[in-house]
Amino acid sequence: MGFRKRHAIPDLGVGVGFRVPHYEHVLTTHPAMDWFEVISENFMVRGGMPLANLEKLRSHYRVIPHGVSLSIGGPAPLDEHYLRRLKALVDIIDPPWFSDHLCWSGVAGVHLHDLLPLPFTREAIEHVSARVRQLQDFMQRPFALENVSSYLTFASSEMPEWEFLSEIAEKGDCGVLLDCNNIYVSSKNHGFDGETYIDAIDPARVVQMHLAGHTDKGAYLLDTHAAHVNDATWELFRRALRRTGPTSVLIEWDDEIPTWDVLAAEAAMARSMREELFGAVRPASARVPDAPAVTP
Amino acid sequence: MSAEGSTSAATKTEKAALGETQTFFAQAIQQPTPVSAQPDAPRMASRFIAGNDRLSPTAQLEIYREQFWLRHVDALEEDFATIVRLLGHDAFHALAESYLEAYPPTAFSLRDLGADFVTFVSERAPYRDDPLLADCARLEWAFVDAFDARDAAPITAEAIAAVEEDAWTTATLHFHPSLQTLTLSHAAHDYRTAVRRGDDAARPAATRVHVAIYRGPETLQYVEIEPLACALLERLQRGEPLGSACESVAATVTDGGGAELLESKVAGWFQFWAASGWLTAIGV
């Protein structure tokens, strides 16, 4: 049985990232949106407005926590302090899965706050997949790894990225958060075929997809989440959807954040693409009326 | 593409270990100088990084180095906007670089990036020569801490009324975790307000002020407080019983009459603290 079915991962429909410029609009008018993703670290705090806002959000929408600081590929042991705080947050939100990136973020006690690429080696596969198992054992909840955009490849790499990601997901027995923009950005930066990447990923492991825009820096593309999803990325998304069937998808827009209407229109594009392929699928994203209160 | 862009046959056969790769990568991107100007870095980059027909290994690594500095300096600019205004963007950038070299980021969240900023500007030349910088840093960091301090419900009128008359002397007062008192050498609080609003603001004059920063129901707030109230709050927040804290503060009034002065003020202060949500419990 595939990962998604085994863990009863629901299709939440189309969501967007919960970002500060939209807090007031979302929390007071409750616009139509299937679900929201929150950056885990922004809510791993002691109290105050972040947790109050999260509680308000959860009272109307399904919420999925998405981390940026796990450093699953880092050389140091997984940070127990970080894991305890992440588990406290995730247990409050009680999502069907949580996610972070296939990357590393620091070394020797320094946190670089970036999603740094790994060499695609057997050594890295063993290292990361063991840590994925350790993470899921601790969290007692399905975990999804997201492919990152990258601006370099390592001389030591032994395989293409899609084989690297697939093998880690298989050996670590985790889900995949397939970021179509990251595939597009890396395909242009490194000269591979994005469709080959999409076709190589086991659709039964894809629990969620990301869509976003990027910035053309001339000699390379930079993953800025500061623009509309481009046509080529929409096509990669369509191709991935055909393989996965109805799957939760999220629009990320983190810089030069547009008005809510612009963001909602981007989400509507993703929804119409889903409906074009599958008809009007009713996502499992109805509000959760009996969600427990947030306590720090 | 430069000469160091092509990976030699010798290095291709010699696989770099994961930890070795990450150590080199992390060290190179934490340097304020470009990778191309770092001793031996271009040669090492060619060993670890493949490069392509548009970008050399050094140029590819440089993308990450630039992002490291952009991200961290931006985060400090956001947290210490008053210091950016005081110094100007370029000088603040130099300060931020020096700070990050002295205190590399170690916390998983950028929220904690400025945790040592007060210490840095207070101790490091030339910044220590301008005490307004330390005032602004302390004030800005107090707001960061107040933003996500633990929650606590304000004390109720019933709980205050329930304290027996003779229990007040030994009572300990518990305050909202966001409440912080600062003694500043400039009116940095008014300056901060103007800067955060985007208003023109002259450099504040040197004057001793006492400020309380706290989180209200909806927003972060500050209020200027009397020197004796500040001294009393500091003692009470350390857990000193009310009676002994009042005596200690009264004894600091040099021209006598401290006890009477405190007695005339404390009830009013107490009412303000309770009404502002600062008081959360009374231990008897």
Side-chain angles (χ1 to χ4, degrees):
Chain A
M1 190 188 291
F3 182 86
R4 235 168 26 167
K5 203 168 226 179
R6 188 154 34 93
H7 291 283
I9 300 290
D11 164 30
L12 299 183
V14 181
V16 297
F18 184 52
R19 303 293 183 260
V20 173
H22 301 138
Y23 277 13
E24 189 177 347
H25 177 66
V26 170
L27 298 179
T28 57
T29 69
H30 311 131
M33 188 56 63
D34 295 338
W35 62 286
F36 282 86
E37 188 177 79
V38 295
I39 300 299
S40 307
E41 289 77 6
N42 291 348
F43 299 89
M44 290 161 64
V45 295
R46 295 162 295 176
M49 294 159 194
L51 292 179
N53 288 332
L54 178 61
E55 183 164 6
K56 287 179 195 165
L57 183 71
R58 289 178 57 245
S59 67
H60 286 88
Y61 301 97
R62 288 294 289 267
V63 174
I64 300 291
H66 178 56
V68 294
S69 295
L70 174 63
S71 195
I72 195 76
L78 288 174
D79 180 347
E80 286 183 22
H81 168 68
Y82 175 85
L83 290 185
R84 278 197 302 274
R85 290 180 67 172
L86 177 63
K87 184 166 170 47
L89 177 76
V90 169
D91 285 349
I92 288 167
I93 297 175
D94 193 23
W97 72 90
F98 69 105
S99 59
D100 205 301
H101 301 81
L102 178 50
C103 70
W104 62 286
S105 301
V107 63
V110 174
H111 209 299
L112 301 165
H113 301 114
D114 201 349
L115 309 172
L116 303 172
L118 286 158
F120 307 141
T121 61
R122 312 278 343 154
E123 181 195 9
I125 287 173
E126 294 306 321
H127 177 65
V128 176
S129 57
R131 288 155 70 96
V132 167
R133 285 194 298 273
Q134 181 192 348
L135 173 70
Q136 289 187 127
D137 284 350
F138 179 77
M139 299 291 286
Q140 291 293 300
R141 199 176 294 267
F143 171 66
L145 262 182
E146 176 182 348
N147 56 297
V148 296
S149 287
S150 61
Y151 315 110
L152 59 76
T153 55
F154 290 97
S156 57
S157 286
E158 298 161 348
M159 65 194 80
E161 183 179 334
W162 48 91
E163 282 182 30
F164 182 68
L165 171 61
S166 296
E167 195 156 341
I168 287 172
E170 191 68 30
K171 279 179 175 270
D173 193 19
C174 68
V176 170
L177 195 175
L178 198 62
D179 189 312
C180 297
N181 175 60
N182 288 347
I183 291 175
Y184 179 77
V185 165
S186 293
S187 75
K188 292 300 169 193
N189 287 345
H190 308 313
F192 63 75
D193 178 12
E195 294 184 352
T196 303
Y197 196 131
I198 297 279
D199 294 349
I201 302 298
D202 175 4
R205 286 202 179 273
V206 178
V207 304
Q208 181 192 332
M209 287 190 250
H210 269 170
L211 291 165
H214 53 263
T215 302
D216 190 340
K217 305 291 277 188
Y220 64 98
L221 301 183
L222 188 65
D223 178 33
T224 52
H225 297 180
H228 288 279
V229 179
N230 77 351
D231 290 345
T233 304
W234 282 118
E235 285 311 309
L236 289 175
F237 172 58
R238 188 196 303 274
R239 189 179 187 94
L241 264 185
R242 282 203 189 96
R243 290 171 49 77
T244 61
T247 305
S248 308
V249 59
L250 183 115
I251 307 291
E252 291 183 300
W253 205 317
D254 297 311
D255 203 1
E256 297 173 35
I257 296 176
T259 63
W260 174 261
D261 289 346
V262 171
L263 184 63
E266 203 80 344
M269 280 277 288
R271 192 170 295 107
S272 69
M273 202 168 274
R274 280 168 48 103
E275 289 177 0
E276 197 182 294
L277 291 174
F278 311 121
V281 180
R282 183 180 166 79
S285 55
R287 65 187 287 266
V288 190
D290 56 350
V294 171
T295 48
Chain B
M1 187 172 174
S2 63
E4 42 86 13
S6 55
T7 309
S8 72
T11 55
K12 272 181 182 166
T13 55
E14 188 185 311
K15 295 283 181 201
L18 177 60
E20 189 189 7
T21 304
Q22 290 172 321
T23 299
F24 164 70
F25 195 123
Q27 284 173 350
I29 70 172
Q30 285 181 79
Q31 303 301 317
T33 49
V35 178
S36 59
Q38 294 172 25
D40 207 32
R43 186 188 68 80
M44 293 289 281
S46 289
R47 184 181 160 220
F48 291 111
I49 297 166
N52 61 29
D53 57 358
R54 282 160 289 138
L55 293 167
S56 68
T58 295
Q60 289 185 324
L61 190 55
E62 181 65 14
I63 297 169
Y64 289 94
R65 194 198 68 83
E66 286 177 0
Q67 290 298 314
F68 172 85
W69 288 98
L70 270 176
R71 180 176 301 109
H72 291 95
V73 172
D74 280 357
L76 291 171
E77 281 188 351
E78 195 173 317
D79 284 346
F80 299 99
T82 52
I83 300 182
V84 178
R85 176 73 73 87
L86 279 171
L87 296 179
H89 188 270
D90 290 349
F92 182 86
H93 199 283
L95 162 60
E97 275 191 6
S98 304
Y99 171 70
L100 290 166
E101 284 186 278
Y103 294 95
T106 55
F108 68 78
S109 171
L110 283 172
R111 183 262 182 231
D112 295 320
L113 187 65
D116 297 298
F117 210 75
V118 173
T119 304
F120 185 79
V121 298
S122 303
E123 294 179 353
R124 181 68 65 98
Y127 309 110
R128 68 186 177 206
D129 299 332
D130 182 356
L132 178 56
L133 294 179
D135 277 350
C136 288
R138 291 173 65 210
L139 189 68
E140 296 279 26
W141 196 248
F143 277 94
V144 170
D145 274 341
F147 178 74
D148 59 7
R150 278 185 298 106
D151 296 304
I155 196 165
T156 62
E158 292 75 21
I160 296 172
V163 179
E164 300 285 344
E165 190 67 32
D166 58 0
W168 281 103
T169 307
T170 55
T172 52
L173 307 188
H174 299 265
F175 294 89
H176 194 279
S178 69
L179 177 68
Q180 296 155 86
T181 55
L182 297 178
T183 299
L184 305 172
S185 57
H186 300 76
H189 52 310
D190 293 334
Y191 182 68
R192 179 184 183 276
T193 301
V195 168
R196 293 273 170 180
R197 279 188 190 142
D199 296 346
D200 287 336
R203 179 188 165 93
T207 178
R208 194 173 170 83
V209 292
H210 305 271
V211 182
I213 292 106
Y214 64 105
R215 190 172 71 230
E218 297 292 334
T219 56
L220 298 178
Q221 299 183 0
Y222 68 88
V223 62
E224 203 168 322
I225 55 177
E226 294 179 52
L228 292 180
C230 185
L232 183 60
L233 275 170
E234 284 170 0
R235 287 181 174 277
L236 293 172
Q237 282 188 296
R238 289 199 295 266
E240 199 170 324
L242 182 59
S244 119
C246 285
E247 281 172 22
S248 301
V249 172
T252 65
V253 179
T254 50
D255 51 358
E260 293 75 17
L261 184 61
L262 258 288
E263 199 177 329
S264 69
K265 298 252 185 199
V266 166
W269 292 341
F270 187 90
Q271 281 177 2
F272 178 76
W273 299 345
S276 302
W278 297 3
L279 272 175
T280 57
I282 299 170
V284 291

